[in-house]
Amino acid sequence: MDVSVKGEYALRAVFELSRHGRPEPVKIARIAERQKIPQKFLEMILAQLKQGGYLGSRRGVDGGYFLARPPDQITVGDILRQIDGPFQPAKRPFADEPTDSPFPEMWDRVERALSCVIDRTTFADLVERWRQRRVKGVPNWQI
Amino acid sequence: MDVSVKGEYALRAVFELSRHGRPEPVKIARIAERQKIPQKFLEMILAQLKQGGYLGSRRGVDGGYFLARPPDQITVGDILRQIDGPFQPAKRPFADEPTDSPFPEMWDRVERALSCVIDRTTFADLVERWRQRRVKGVPNWQI
DNA sequence: CCGAATCCCTACTAGTTTACTAGGGATTCA
DNA sequence: TGAATCCCTAGTAAACTAGTAGGGATTCGG
């Protein structure tokens, strides 16, 4: 019932790219350094995110990775599911479980509750909140 | 980001005891059979739930396990945390993470959303819903 | 065309966790 | 006493986690 380190790394990498904003590619080495992620491990993660359609890349001297869509169209849930697989509270319905078990319905509720957070939080949101936070003192007009 | 089989077994076992209701102990063998759980595995699970204070037991010929408190005072979250450990989305805050990371706040939201379901669903609720469901046709006076 | 920089791809691995199984010991009670 | 039950320790095959290693394929400036 937790998120893998790999998943957390993926989130941090996409956050880094979102924060960067501009369309120029960012090098793996730079992301690894800024987010303190082992570089070779990060390579695999970014490849996985690319093949999920969330990132693009370019090789060569000015190469790197970049977002394949704007940050307000990538959610935390997207990335987590791409890396850690679909969230299945229990391989519902348990193969040999009587069909009147009360649990599948509860797992649905859990999934919906979770979805309300992770599928509604975009990286644009995260960057914005992070920017607000940087202005120490937390202004009043914050929601 | 899923629940272990062990956790699911624990829920089913406690549900079985809640459904049974009466204060007489239920034998491991019976729970294992009714909920299709490997018996020796279930023994470990029940021991863990007992040492968490959720179950009591009696040995000997008419022995078995029973709830240590009424089912409306045991939540799904209690059992899950006792078996699978505390829910920590990411070992927050990541040791080497800059303190202005946007993620800890998001994990808090996830945790609260989850808590709204698992810490508010008692086994009395589960049994009641399950009873309602058994009456095929699902009556109108249901919430 | 060269070669440096970068992404890309496959394979390997130590350590941990998961989902069990095995074998018996301690209690209870008729 | 002995049968039924819970109790306790240990072991274990398979999968998963969090990486590491080593090089191949592209790109691009010169």
Side-chain angles (χ1 to χ4, degrees):
Chain A
M1 206 143 180
D2 52 0
V3 173
S4 67
V5 171
K6 194 175 172 186
E8 175 93 15
Y9 285 162
L11 293 179
R12 293 210 268 161
V14 175
F15 174 73
E16 185 64 25
L17 292 174
S18 301
R19 187 171 68 142
H20 186 255
R22 294 156 303 164
E24 306 129 36
V26 182
K27 299 184 217 320
I28 290 179
R30 182 168 167 77
I31 301 173
E33 183 217 348
R34 297 200 54 152
Q35 294 288 338
K36 304 276 172 47
I37 302 171
Q39 179 162 344
K40 279 301 212 173
F41 194 29
L42 182 58
E43 283 188 26
M44 298 173 85
I45 294 168
L46 295 181
Q48 213 173 325
L49 292 177
K50 179 185 178 177
Q51 84 105 38
Y54 301 105
L55 301 184
S57 65
R58 205 169 65 201
R59 306 200 224 193
V61 75
D62 268 321
Y65 277 91
F66 48 89
L67 298 182
R69 354 172 183 153
D72 64 343
Q73 283 171 48
I74 306 178
T75 69
V76 168
D78 289 334
I79 302 305
L80 249 27
R81 271 185 271 265
Q82 177 67 27
I83 295 298
D84 287 347
F87 167 64
Q88 290 174 336
K91 3 284 154 202
R92 96 246 324 258
F94 240 60
D96 48 2
E97 202 169 27
T99 55
D100 61 357
S101 161
F103 292 111
E105 192 225 4
M106 192 201 62
W107 293 131
D108 274 345
R109 301 234 273 236
V110 168
E111 195 161 359
R112 279 198 298 273
L114 209 56
S115 176
C116 278
V117 178
I118 67 173
D119 293 328
R120 286 162 131 87
T121 303
T122 70
F123 282 85
D125 295 333
L126 290 176
V127 170
E128 192 187 347
R129 277 178 215 153
W130 170 79
R131 291 236 160 86
Q132 298 253 339
R133 188 91 69 69
R134 296 224 89 187
V135 187
K136 295 190 292 255
V138 185
N140 298 348
W141 61 83
Q142 189 183 357
I143 294 178
Chain B
M1 206 147 180
D2 51 0
V3 172
S4 67
V5 172
K6 192 174 174 187
E8 175 94 15
Y9 285 162
L11 293 179
R12 293 210 268 161
V14 174
F15 174 73
E16 186 64 26
L17 292 175
S18 301
R19 187 171 68 142
H20 186 256
R22 293 156 305 164
E24 304 131 37
V26 182
K27 298 184 217 320
I28 290 180
R30 181 167 167 77
I31 302 174
E33 183 218 349
R34 297 200 53 152
Q35 295 286 339
K36 304 275 172 47
I37 302 171
Q39 178 162 343
K40 280 300 212 172
F41 194 29
L42 181 57
E43 283 189 25
M44 298 172 86
I45 294 168
L46 295 182
Q48 212 172 327
L49 292 177
K50 178 184 179 179
Q51 84 106 37
Y54 301 105
L55 303 183
S57 65
R58 205 169 65 202
R59 305 199 226 195
V61 75
D62 268 321
Y65 276 91
F66 48 89
L67 298 182
R69 356 172 182 152
D72 65 343
Q73 283 170 48
I74 305 178
T75 70
V76 168
D78 289 334
I79 302 305
L80 249 27
R81 271 186 272 264
Q82 177 67 29
I83 295 298
D84 288 345
F87 166 64
Q88 289 174 337
K91 2 285 155 206
R92 99 251 318 263
F94 240 63
D96 48 3
E97 202 169 27
T99 55
D100 60 357
S101 162
F103 292 111
E105 193 225 6
M106 194 200 61
W107 294 130
D108 274 346
R109 301 235 273 237
V110 167
E111 195 161 1
R112 278 198 298 272
L114 208 57
S115 176
C116 278
V117 178
I118 67 173
D119 293 328
R120 286 163 131 87
T121 304
T122 70
F123 282 85
D125 296 333
L126 290 175
V127 169
E128 192 188 346
R129 277 178 213 152
W130 169 80
R131 291 235 160 85
Q132 299 252 342
R133 189 90 70 67
R134 297 225 89 188
V135 186
K136 295 190 293 252
V138 186
N140 297 351
W141 61 83
Q142 188 183 356
I143 295 179

